[in-house]
Amino acid sequence: MAQTFDVVVIGAGPGGYVAAIRAAQLGQKVAIIEREHLGGICLNWGCIPTKALLRSAEVFHLMHRAKEFGLKVEGASFDLDAVVARSRGVAKQLSSGIGHLMKKNKVTVFMGAATLPKQGVVAVKTDKGSEELTAKAIILATGARARELPGLEADGDLVWTYKHALQPKRMPKRLLVIGSGAIGIEFASFFHTLGADTTVVEVMDRILPVEDAEISAFAKKSFVKQGMKIMEKAAVKKLDRKPGVGVTAHIEVNGKIETQDFDTVISAVGIVGNVENLGLEALGVKIDRTHVVTDEYCRTGVPGLYAIGDIAGAPWLAHKASHEGVMVAELIAGGHPHPIKPNSIAGCTYCHPQVASVGLTEQKAKDAGYQIKVGRFPFIGNGKAIALGESEGMIKTVFDAKTGELLGAHMVGAEVTELIQGYVVGRSLETTEEDLMNTVFPHPTLSEMMHEAVLDAYGRALHI
C-alpha cells in the first residue's frame, strides 16, 4: 500500500534537504529520497571536503612563509593521507548532521533510488525492497555529475575526476588539469601548493572564463608567479595512457599539436545533470542538454513537479539550490515567495588567491547597453591586508552611471569569498553608490577596500 505525503523530495543535497526542512517547518508531511549520501555531492564530495583540503594547503603555504612573520618553522612537510583523512572526517561530521536535521524536522528518509512511474507517484527501490509514495508535490533535486569527454574518461588511476582527487592514491608529481573553472582551479591550487608541477589547460581565451576579464588576468598572473603553467585557447585532444608510468597528453595550441608527459590528469570540464532513469520524458518533462527546463519558480510544466539546483541549470551553486528549495517549499505551502535572481547570486572560487563575484562583469554591463562607472582598489592600499601579509589582490565595482545601481562586484585576493556577501546584500536591497559611500566600514578591516572601490568609481578614493 502506498504511503502518502504532502511533499516528496528526490535527492538530499543542499537543495533537497533544505527544501525538505522548510516544507516540514511549514506543516507539510515530507519524505526525502537519497540513493547515496545525505548532504549530496556538495557536502560529501564537493564544496565542503575541498575546502578542508584547501585549508590544509593554505596552512602549509603559510608555514613556508613563517620567516616573513618573525617565526621559525624547520622541516615543514605534509602527510597526504592525514590531510585527506581530515577532509573526509569533516564531510562525515556534516553528513551525520543532516540525518539529525531530518529527524528533528520529522522528515521521513528513504535511502534508495527513485523513479516517477506516473504523475504524483514516486517508486523507491531500497535494500529492503520497493516502496510506493504518493504526493501532491514532488521536488527533483538529483544534482549533477562530472562531464566526461570522449578519450579523456577518468579511470581512477592516471585520469581523475573530482572524486578521485578528493581521495588521491598518490601525490602527483606532474599534474595536468583540464578545465579552469572553479573545480579545476581549486584542485590545481591545492596540489600545486603541496608541490606538484601543475599545468592547467583551458579551451577558452582565459582561465576562470565566467569571471570579469580583469580579475581572470590578475588571477592568472598570480598563478604563474607561483610557478603554475597556464595554457589558454588550448584543447587536450588525446591522452596516451601508460599504466604505472603516466600519460602523454596531445594538446592543440594555435592549430598545432604538442605533446607533454604527466603522471596524473584531473578532468574538470563541467557537469551533466542527473536526469536519466527517473521517467521524466514519459511524464512530459522538457530536458535541454541534460538539465530540466523550468520557469522562474522551478516549475517543470508537469503539475506538482518541481526541479531545483544543478538539475535545473546554471548557476551550478549549492547556495542557489538551497534558496530554490526554500522558495519551492513556500510556494507549495501556499506562500508567495520572490523568484531567485541569478544575477544576485555570488560565485566563489577558493584557490590561492581567492576569487569572488556577483552581478554583471564590466563587459556584460557594456553589452547590455549600460553606461557604466568602474571602481578599483588594490589590496596594497589596505592596512589590514598589509598587516596580514596578503597585499596581493583587487576589488572592482561596476555601477550604472545613470542611476547609481550596483551592477556587479568582482574580487581577487585573501578572504574575498567572505567579503563578497556585503555586495550581495547591497544588491538585494537595491543599494546605490550613495548608500555605500555613506556606510561606515570598520577599521582596520579588509572590508574597507569595498568602500574604497565604490569611492574610486566616482573619483573619490582616499587611499590611492
Side-chain angles (χ1 to χ4, degrees), residues 61-360:
H61 170 74
L62 289 171
M63 288 165 69
H64 284 82
R65 294 179 57 197
K67 190 175 180 180
E68 294 177 37
F69 299 92
L71 306 173
K72 290 184 179 180
V73 174
E74 296 179 0
S77 61
F78 64 89
D79 179 340
L80 185 60
D81 290 341
V83 169
V84 171
R86 176 181 180 272
S87 170
R88 299 315 308 155
V90 169
K92 184 178 180 181
Q93 178 183 342
L94 289 168
S95 182
S96 62
I98 303 302
H100 169 73
L101 288 172
M102 295 299 98
K103 288 179 182 177
K104 177 185 174 183
N105 289 281
K106 297 181 174 57
V107 175
T108 303
V109 177
F110 294 89
M111 297 303 295
T115 56
L116 299 169
K118 57 185 177 180
Q119 188 177 318
V121 177
V122 181
V124 189
K125 189 175 182 180
T126 70
D127 290 339
K128 298 176 182 177
S130 297
E131 296 267 3
E132 187 172 277
L133 317 179
T134 62
K136 66 179 182 181
I138 297 168
I139 303 174
L140 295 171
T142 54
R145 62 187 184 278
R147 182 186 299 278
E148 294 197 283
L149 299 180
L152 310 183
E153 296 91 350
D155 54 36
D157 179 21
L158 299 173
V159 183
W160 299 348
T161 64
Y162 64 87
K163 271 197 175 184
H164 304 119
L166 279 166
Q167 291 185 302
K169 294 180 177 180
R170 61 179 178 278
M171 175 63 200
K173 293 185 176 71
R174 291 204 68 205
L175 172 66
L176 169 64
V177 178
I178 307 173
S180 74
I183 295 172
I185 284 295
E186 286 183 1
F187 279 119
S189 189
F190 171 72
F191 285 111
H192 186 74
T193 299
L194 294 187
D197 180 1
T198 304
T199 298
V200 177
V201 172
E202 171 55 54
V203 71
M204 303 293 283
D205 61 355
R206 56 190 172 89
I207 61 166
L208 296 166
V210 302
E211 300 295 341
D212 183 88
E214 198 170 354
I215 299 299
S216 292
F218 193 107
K220 177 187 175 182
K221 185 177 179 181
S222 180
F223 297 148
V224 171
K225 183 180 176 183
Q226 294 170 34
M228 206 180 289
K229 300 175 186 67
I230 306 291
M231 300 177 70
E232 297 163 324
K233 290 196 285 188
V236 178
K237 292 297 186 180
K238 189 171 70 165
L239 296 175
D240 294 334
R241 308 175 197 223
K242 304 164 190 172
V245 178
V247 174
T248 297
H250 298 250
I251 306 170
E252 184 178 12
V253 189
N254 297 322
K256 296 180 180 179
I257 299 290
E258 60 179 69
T259 60
Q260 294 188 37
D261 293 327
F262 303 92
D263 61 80
T264 309
V265 177
I266 296 176
S267 177
V269 291
I271 62 173
V272 293
N274 293 322
V275 295
E276 304 92 346
N277 305 317
L278 289 165
L280 299 182
E281 294 87 349
L283 285 177
V285 174
K286 187 177 179 182
I287 296 172
D288 180 24
R289 289 169 291 180
T290 79
H291 293 91
V292 173
V293 177
T294 67
D295 67 7
E296 61 182 351
Y297 288 101
C298 297
R299 295 177 292 212
T300 64
V302 175
L305 183 62
Y306 304 80
I308 65 173
D310 286 356
I311 194 179
W316 296 287
L317 300 166
H319 40 290
K320 172 251 197 186
S322 294
H323 275 265
E324 285 180 338
V326 169
M327 176 188 72
V328 168
E330 292 180 352
L331 195 66
I332 290 167
H336 302 281
H338 294 291
I340 305 299
K341 297 178 181 177
N343 268 338
S344 289
I345 299 174
C348 298
T349 305
Y350 299 80
C351 46
H352 178 74
Q354 294 180 6
V355 176
S357 60
V358 65
L360 299 178

